[in-house]
Amino acid sequence: YVGLEPGAEEANLAAGAAITQTQSALVLENLIGQMLFNRAAEAITGWRAKDILGKSCQDVFPAELCENGCLIKSTIEQEKSFAAQTVFMTHKDGRFFPLSLTSSPLYDLNGTVIGGVQTFHDCSDSLNNALILASVADGVFTIDRNRIITSFNRAAESITGWKADEVIGKPCSEIFHSSVCGGDCLLMK
């Protein structure tokens, strides 16, 4: 059983049970032979927990996702986690939007995989921002408050010779070695 506190509890989730103390959308599969949704999952997909009770994953998520690469099924079969896979889904109201999915196996007290947990969030904003950033002709990069590079567009790659995957997650001073790095950082003013 997945407890809300570290460790485990002996009681299993039952049909109609809810996990409420998470901000991520959450789907549990196979633990009790059906899906469980939390409130965040309801808000993102438009499906209410009571509407999906007894339904399989394929009834809610896109068929192509379930048939060609079910993340929870892969997690259970391979006994490993998968992170940040973007897929497109149709909201219950017909609206099409991107989801970022992460999936992990669920273990019982003996370490046996008993199901999978999938968290997801609507990544429309981050996908739109990435598309805008990629289309800008000027070299653009962004940093967080700790001056760690969080994005680096194609034009920035062309200008600097660095690839995005080489610089994202690194301090900008480590990449640019500029006299304005550190306390004189123009981006932090």
Side-chain angles (χ1 to χ4, degrees), residues 9 25 30 36 39-41 63 70 82 90 128 135 139-140 171 176 181:
E9 297 177 17
N30 284 3
L36 293 176
R39 283 187 211 123
C70 177
F82 294 94
T90 304
N128 287 338
S135 67
V140 178
F176 295 109
C181 288

Side-chain angles (χ1 to χ4, degrees), residues 4-86:
L4 298 176
E5 299 298 324
E9 297 177 17
E10 292 187 19
N12 285 329
L13 288 170
I19 296 176
T20 57
Q21 296 182 356
T22 178
Q23 292 181 3
S24 295
L26 183 67
V27 175
L28 297 175
E29 178 83 23
N30 284 3
L31 185 63
I32 59 173
Q34 59 189 353
M35 290 193 315
L36 293 176
F37 260 29
N38 66 355
R39 283 187 211 123
E42 288 180 331
I44 290 170
T45 65
W47 288 91
R48 296 183 51 156
K50 67 178 185 176
D51 297 335
I52 63 103
L53 195 59
K55 292 186 183 289
S56 69
C57 190
Q58 297 92 321
D59 294 330
V60 178
F61 290 96
E64 62 275 2
L65 173 64
C66 296
E67 294 166 5
N68 299 327
C70 177
L71 218 51
I72 289 181
K73 182 178 178 184
S74 296
T75 289
I76 294 167
E77 290 174 354
Q78 298 177 35
E79 297 186 21
K80 70 178 197 175
S81 297
F82 294 94
Q85 179 179 342
T86 301

Side-chain angles (χ1 to χ4, degrees), residues 75-175:
T75 289
I76 294 167
E77 290 174 354
Q78 298 177 35
E79 297 186 21
K80 70 178 197 175
S81 297
F82 294 94
Q85 179 179 342
T86 301
V87 299
F88 286 85
M89 179 172 177
T90 304
H91 190 275
K92 187 177 179 185
D93 69 10
R95 188 172 36 94
F96 198 59
F97 67 99
L99 286 178
S100 178
L101 305 173
T102 300
S103 185
S104 298
L106 286 174
Y107 299 92
D108 66 12
L109 295 174
N110 298 316
T112 303
V113 173
I114 58 171
V117 61
Q118 183 167 284
T119 59
F120 57 91
H121 65 273
D122 181 337
C123 60
S124 298
D125 290 341
S126 59
L127 186 59
N128 287 338
N129 291 342
L131 291 171
I132 291 168
L133 190 62
S135 67
V136 174
D138 296 324
V140 178
F141 70 97
T142 59
I143 60 172
D144 65 14
R145 291 184 175 160
N146 296 316
R147 299 183 179 108
I148 304 297
I149 297 173
T150 57
S151 66
F152 204 78
N153 74 353
R154 285 189 212 118
E157 289 180 336
S158 178
I159 292 167
T160 66
W162 289 98
K163 296 291 181 195
D165 61 352
E166 297 171 323
V167 301
I168 292 175
K170 294 186 178 173
C172 60
S173 60
E174 185 179 310
I175 302 303

